[in-house]
Amino acid sequence: MINLITKISRRFFIGQKQKFVFVKKENIEIPALKKIDLYIHIPFCKNMCPYCPYNRIVYDKELVQPYLKAVLSEIDLYYKKFGKIEISSIYIGGGTPTNLIDQLSIIFNSLREKFFISGDICIETNPADLNEDIIKKLKNMRVDLISIGVQSFSDEYLKILGRKYNSKKAEEVVKLALSANFKSVNIDLMFVLPNQDDKNVLADLDKAIELKVDQITTYPLFTFPYTSTGQHLKLNKIKMPNIFKRRKMYKEIYKHCIKNGYQQISVWGFKKGEVPRYSSVTRNTYIGIGAGACSILPNIFYFNTFSVKEYINSALSKKLSIALTMEITQQLGKYYWLYWRFYDTKIKKEELEKIFGRSDLKIKLLFAILKIMRLCKETKNEIILTERGSFYIHLFQNYFILNYINKVWSIAKREAWPEKIKI
């Protein structure tokens, strides 16, 4: 049923010109750029959480220096391609980026030497790999925004999730980060965990509110077939938590955050005050550096090989480590932009009109349906998702977008250089 709905929706909104196929290409044409966002992937983890779907390997000291050299080589390749362009934001993800804390300093020095960095530097980490010394180093590197994957302040749920720290440690590192005067500190909290009820979820939120974190990002436990959790359960497809329980819990989270002075800034996230928003995903175009990193440019989507060793070999041979590419039509580019504006929960009418024009009947039909279903409301200048709309947008993401990710990443993790992936 999902595949049928997907095919119908693609044909209606995107048209038949767009081919949803990743293919292997020896040479790709990357458009000239003057400004771009940057993503850097650090795949090393000392704690391999069983539910995590991202490209990562167990920390291996022997691979650290070769990986650093490969990242520096890839940065240099893009510098030779574009020259000293503007980097409007940098996001460092993983894995656990702070496992390579000293190497990150070398990477930042290279980036500042070759490019003009005009925006914020954001990094994610987790309590087990954070301490006062690492926080000082991040500040010295001029990192602006930090996200800590706390997941829960309950020892019971931390144990279920396979996290290698307790609630006391989580609270301590959050306090350290807040005292370091980053522009913003976000913490991640998971919900709909096994045997979790509304009371447990609100207790986690109350602890975050008590600590006065700048931003809280909440999300349900995703189970991908290719993660160790999925393999253990022998799942054949993505299995999400009970929808009715998830709906009820999301509503309680939403109400509790709003009641305590946090404003919604994404389908998952709530922010307090005027601090900058922390976000890992809403950049329209960016270049990805590292093993498995994706790049999205106006006309093309491509990703590097997921194999850390193959990435190192390719980058040190002075070649981009691109495994597969997919061309992006102008129409798909428009809807990609719209998808992330839905994720933001707010769409400026002026921007929507600039992208789609005034007379796009498909867009008018889409928003008419959303309003009838009470998924969005209008102000003079914006279209805003309701709480109900926010939930169903993230449900859509679960069943459609994550289904694509699962298929592509499953193959990419098995094969270093796939020939073709049809989605």
Side-chain angles (χ1 to χ4, degrees):
M1 178 61 75
I2 290 175
N3 289 334
L4 178 61
I5 294 172
T6 299
K7 288 179 181 179
I8 293 171
S9 300
R10 280 177 179 176
R11 180 162 293 191
F12 180 76
F13 288 108
I14 310 300
Q16 297 185 52
K17 290 183 179 180
Q18 176 66 52
K19 304 301 180 185
F20 290 87
V21 181
F22 285 98
V23 295
K24 185 177 180 180
K25 282 189 176 181
E26 293 298 326
N27 296 297
I28 67 169
E29 185 177 338
I30 300 176
L33 299 170
K34 293 183 179 180
K35 182 178 180 180
I36 195 69
D37 293 317
L38 195 65
Y39 172 74
I40 300 172
H41 190 74
I42 306 296
F44 299 96
C45 277
K46 292 178 180 177
N47 175 35
M48 299 287 280
C49 299
Y51 59 86
C52 179
Y54 301 108
N55 189 40
R56 70 232 165 89
I57 61 170
V58 176
Y59 179 86
D60 184 343
K61 188 177 180 180
E62 298 302 314
L63 289 177
V64 170
Q65 278 304 111
Y67 192 80
L68 170 63
K69 290 179 181 178
V71 168
L72 295 175
S73 177
E74 190 176 9
I75 289 170
D76 192 54
L77 287 169
Y78 280 113
Y79 171 67
K80 289 176 180 176
K81 168 70 179 174
F82 300 123
K84 199 177 181 72
I85 62 171
E86 180 181 353
I87 305 296
S88 44
S89 77
I90 299 174
Y91 187 89
I92 306 99
T96 308
T98 46
N99 283 169
L100 267 62
I101 187 69
D102 294 323
Q103 288 74 26
L104 283 176
S105 179
I106 297 169
I107 291 170
F108 286 140
N109 287 340
S110 176
L111 289 171
R112 290 188 171 106
E113 177 187 328
K114 293 179 171 63
F115 304 109
F116 169 58
I117 301 172
S118 62
D120 289 332
I121 298 174
C122 317
I123 195 167
E124 59 188 39
T125 185
N126 78 67
D129 295 280
L130 203 58
N131 55 41
E132 188 171 6
D133 182 55
I134 288 176
I135 288 173
K136 284 181 179 178
K137 288 180 177 181
L138 291 174
K139 286 293 293 182
N140 289 336
M141 293 177 207
R142 289 178 274 167
V143 169
D144 301 292
L145 314 177
I146 184 171
S147 178
I148 307 171
V150 171
Q151 315 311 358
S152 178
F153 288 104
S154 163
D155 289 336
E156 176 188 354
Y157 294 117
L158 291 174
K159 186 176 180 180
I160 289 172
L161 292 168
R163 306 293 274 183
K164 303 299 182 183
Y165 54 87
N166 57 28
S167 56
K168 183 180 179 182
K169 168 70 172 177
E171 187 173 341
E172 285 175 355
V173 298
V174 170
K175 287 179 178 178
L176 281 173
L178 287 166
S179 66
N181 294 318
F182 290 101
K183 287 184 181 179
S184 182
V185 175
N186 171 77
I187 68 165
D188 289 343
L189 294 174
M190 298 179 77
F191 65 98
V192 205
L193 300 174
N195 302 317
Q196 191 181 41
D197 58 23
D198 294 354
K199 183 180 178 181
N200 303 135
V201 172
L202 295 184
D204 275 345
L205 287 176
D206 283 336
K207 175 54 70 175
I209 292 164
E210 177 191 323
L211 291 170
K212 298 181 180 179
V213 298
D214 301 309
Q215 185 173 315
I216 305 168
T217 301
T218 64
Y219 57 97
L221 176 62
F222 299 134
T223 304
F224 288 81
Y226 62 82
T227 64
S228 54
T229 297
Q231 291 166 0
H232 175 69
L233 296 173
K234 297 181 179 178
L235 299 176
N236 294 317
K237 57 184 178 180
I238 295 173
K239 184 179 180 181
M240 295 299 173
N242 179 286
I243 185 174
F244 301 107
K245 183 177 181 181
R246 189 150 47 119
R247 176 74 186 100
K248 183 174 181 293
M249 207 169 275
Y250 182 86
K251 185 178 286 189
E252 290 300 316
I253 290 169
Y254 181 95
K255 289 193 301 183
H256 202 69
C257 287
I258 300 301
K259 176 184 174 183
N260 284 278
Y262 286 79
Q263 58 176 305
Q264 187 181 24
I265 46 139
S266 73
V267 295
W268 305 117
F270 301 87
K271 178 174 75 73
K272 195 164 191 176
E274 299 302 317
V275 297
R277 168 193 175 188
Y278 183 97
S279 175
S280 62
V281 294
T282 55
R283 293 154 180 81
N284 293 327
T285 56
Y286 60 88
I287 285 173
I289 304 286
C294 298
S295 299
I296 298 180
L297 300 176
N299 64 339
I300 193 167
F301 176 28
Y302 59 90
F303 60 85
N304 289 346
T305 178
F306 277 50
S307 166
V308 172
K309 290 184 179 179
E310 286 295 313
Y311 167 76
I312 291 170
N313 291 337
S314 179
L316 293 184
S317 298
K318 304 300 180 183
K319 295 188 298 183
L320 290 176
S321 306
I322 298 169
L324 290 174
T325 70
M326 183 174 76
E327 293 183 2
I328 298 176
T329 64
Q330 186 179 22
Q331 188 71 355
L332 179 59
K334 291 179 180 180
Y335 280 95
Y336 176 79
W337 174 88
L338 182 60
Y339 172 78
W340 288 120
R341 301 296 74 74
F342 277 130
Y343 183 92
D344 290 337
T345 73
K346 294 180 178 64
I347 304 168
K348 293 186 181 299
K349 291 182 178 178
E350 184 179 357
E351 291 182 4
L352 184 67
E353 186 177 304
K354 183 178 179 180
I355 299 293
F356 288 92
R358 291 186 177 182
S359 57
D360 193 308
L361 297 179
K362 293 176 183 178
I363 285 294
K364 290 182 178 180
L365 175 63
L366 174 62
F367 282 102
I369 293 171
L370 293 178
K371 281 191 283 186
I372 290 170
M373 296 176 68
R374 295 183 289 114
L375 301 180
C376 71
K377 59 185 179 182
E378 284 192 52
T379 66
K380 181 180 178 182
N381 298 315
E382 292 183 316
I383 299 169
I384 302 170
L385 289 187
T386 60
E387 179 274 328
R388 172 186 170 91
S390 297
F391 175 79
Y392 284 106
I393 284 294
H394 97 244
L395 190 70
F396 168 86
Q397 181 193 41
N398 295 168
Y399 285 104
F400 290 88
I401 306 303
L402 297 185
N403 192 38
Y404 296 156
I405 292 173
N406 178 68
K407 184 173 184 179
V408 175
W409 288 13
S410 294
I411 295 171
K413 285 170 78 70
R414 289 197 310 266
E415 305 172 33
W417 307 102
E419 289 294 326
K420 186 177 184 180
I421 303 176
K422 187 176 182 180
I423 59 174

